[in-house]
Amino acid sequence: MDNSFNKYFLEKKDIIDKALLGVLPKDNRLISKAMRYGVLNGGKRIRSILVLAAAEASGASYKNILEIALAIEIIHCSSLIHDDLPAMDNDDYRRGKLACHKKFGEDIAILAGDALLMYAFEILANNFQKYQIKSERSAKIMALLCEAIGSRGVILGQVLDMKSENKKISLKRLKEIHSLKTGKLMQVAVRIGAEALKLNTKQIKGLEKYALHFGLIYQIVDDILDEIGTKKELGKMPGSDKKKNKSTYISVCGLKKAIKLAEKEAEKAIESLKVFGPKAERLRQLIFFIKGRSS
Ligand code: GRG
């Protein structure tokens, strides 16, 4: 990956990290501490950088969309806290540190995940007021987001994923699970960003398609890393999918085919950016970045 993209990525990550620090509750209540821990304990900030890069591809400044990016990142962190709980993936570590429930206890971790979710919606609602986004548009954004993370989106993906443990599933089913569990949040991130920026239908369709393939590459690489990554790189124990007898791209189609699939998805993602021309360079580079990531 060329240096200019690395620089771009780190600059944007820094903007997000500082803004998250600024926006989260600052008091010393236990719940606030757990919320801060769940968000500020690391993280690549891929989803929020995706929102900013998508805005730039459409010719807008990332500044117009910063709060939307923060809300998406906070929702993602909330889902990670819940994902690590003993009743779900039962992981003791996240991002190289103790998982939220290991640090604060299960009760507080559950509530911190819930509170972060609510906090994300509060940030969005305040943002609509700040930018005087009309009520129909803000209601549409809220509805799109709720649908994407609720029982027809991320949460459904998580249920299907958990219920397919110890079962043999098809590649089609695996793709469905990950399009929901991982892809939906990425798709809705660019979708609501596009809605807030009032992009046209062609641009919205292009971004949604891009994010769908982006999500699939992300998950394929996640599965590959779980198979061949190290604890240091991943910030948690590798091999956790195998231990839980989970279907992954590796168990369903093998490492070689999984790598090929990621290549194919990358081609499709890049193809969907045609409508944006050269302005989409950062989005294109982001694909190579996530395909080559080691953490
Ligand atoms: C509360 C919204 C909400 C959902 C509850 C637990 C659950 C339902 C869903 C879990 C969804 C999930 C954890 C999907 C996995 C997505 C994934 C690939 C996570 C790792 O993302 P990275 O690598 O993590 O971007 P960092 O640490 O960099 O942020």
Side-chain angles (χ1 to χ4, degrees):
M1 185 51 48
D2 78 81
N3 276 341
S4 90
F5 182 77
N6 278 338
K7 192 166 165 256
Y8 171 86
F9 189 87
L10 290 176
E11 267 171 23
K12 290 290 185 280
K13 185 177 174 312
D14 192 49
I15 289 168
I16 297 289
D17 281 335
K18 287 191 175 128
L20 284 169
L21 187 64
V23 83
L24 285 167
K26 290 173 188 52
D27 61 85
N28 267 332
R29 290 189 185 97
L30 187 57
I31 187 66
S32 304
K33 283 184 184 168
M35 288 164 77
R36 282 199 298 271
Y37 184 81
V39 177
L40 304 173
N41 59 346
K44 296 177 287 298
R45 313 303 188 206
I46 291 282
R47 291 152 191 82
S48 39
I49 294 173
L50 175 64
V51 175
L52 304 188
E56 288 172 346
S58 65
S61 161
Y62 77 84
K63 288 182 186 150
N64 298 341
I65 208 103
L66 186 59
E67 281 91 348
I68 291 192
L70 299 182
I72 292 292
E73 198 61 45
I74 290 173
I75 292 170
H76 164 63
C77 295
S78 141
S79 81
L80 296 183
I81 294 175
H82 284 183
D83 192 48
D84 290 338
L85 289 167
M88 300 223 188
D89 262 8
N90 194 17
D91 274 313
D92 291 352
Y93 290 93
R94 168 70 61 182
R95 298 166 167 171
K97 302 195 174 83
L98 286 177
C100 193
H101 67 276
K102 281 283 161 187
K103 177 102 180 154
F104 292 91
E106 256 183 80
D107 47 0
I108 298 299
I110 292 170
L111 294 170
D114 293 339
L116 283 171
L117 202 52
M118 293 304 106
Y119 210 74
F121 281 97
E122 191 181 331
I123 291 172
L124 278 180
N126 290 336
N127 172 260
F128 299 149
Q129 282 186 329
K130 178 173 156 191
Y131 289 103
Q132 296 181 334
I133 296 182
K134 284 211 176 104
S135 56
E136 305 92 82
R137 196 174 287 277
S138 35
K140 187 172 178 186
I141 290 175
M142 288 298 197
L144 284 166
L145 187 55
C146 291
E147 186 182 331
I149 62 179
S151 60
R152 285 161 289 167
V154 177
I155 289 177
L156 174 60
Q158 179 78 350
V159 172
L160 296 177
D161 191 31
M162 289 180 330
K163 295 301 166 197
S164 64
E165 273 175 28
N166 300 312
K167 280 186 194 150
K168 250 191 145 34
I169 60 169
S170 66
L171 183 57
K172 190 171 168 236
R173 183 67 158 172
L174 187 67
K175 212 170 159 180
E176 184 197 0
I177 291 173
H178 293 308
S179 304
L180 291 165
K181 193 181 136 175
T182 305
K184 271 284 173 189
L185 188 60
M186 293 170 169
Q187 253 184 311
V188 81
V190 296
R191 177 71 178 88
I192 62 174
E195 198 61 41
L197 294 171
K198 304 184 184 126
L199 300 193
N200 65 40
T201 313
K202 259 194 178 165
Q203 291 173 311
I204 292 179
K205 286 235 149 67
L207 282 178
E208 275 197 303
K209 219 167 150 225
Y210 169 86
L212 170 76
H213 299 300
F214 185 101
L216 285 171
I217 301 168
Y218 209 79
Q219 190 59 52
I220 297 170
V221 173
D222 224 56
D223 287 356
I224 294 174
L225 291 177
D226 191 64
E227 178 79 13
I228 64 170
T230 63
K231 185 181 176 213
K232 195 165 173 235
E233 285 167 334
L234 301 181
K236 59 178 187 177
M237 284 308 280
S240 64
D241 293 334
K242 211 184 252 172
K243 225 165 92 191
K244 283 168 214 136
N245 212 0
K246 270 194 176 189
S247 291
T248 66
Y249 280 92
I250 312 295
S251 69
V252 172
C253 53
L255 182 59
K256 255 191 177 165
K257 196 171 169 201
I259 294 171
K260 268 208 176 123
L261 276 176
E263 293 291 342
K264 266 197 181 161
E265 293 298 334
E267 279 165 27
K268 288 183 196 163
I270 288 167
E271 172 74 22
S272 62
L273 292 175
K274 264 189 176 158
V275 58
F276 296 102
K279 281 208 183 103
E281 188 51 24
R282 295 307 187 194
L283 287 178
R284 255 187 294 276
Q285 290 172 325
L286 202 49
I287 292 291
F288 297 111
F289 178 81
I290 60 158
K291 212 156 54 68
R293 75 190 169 103
S294 59
S295 65

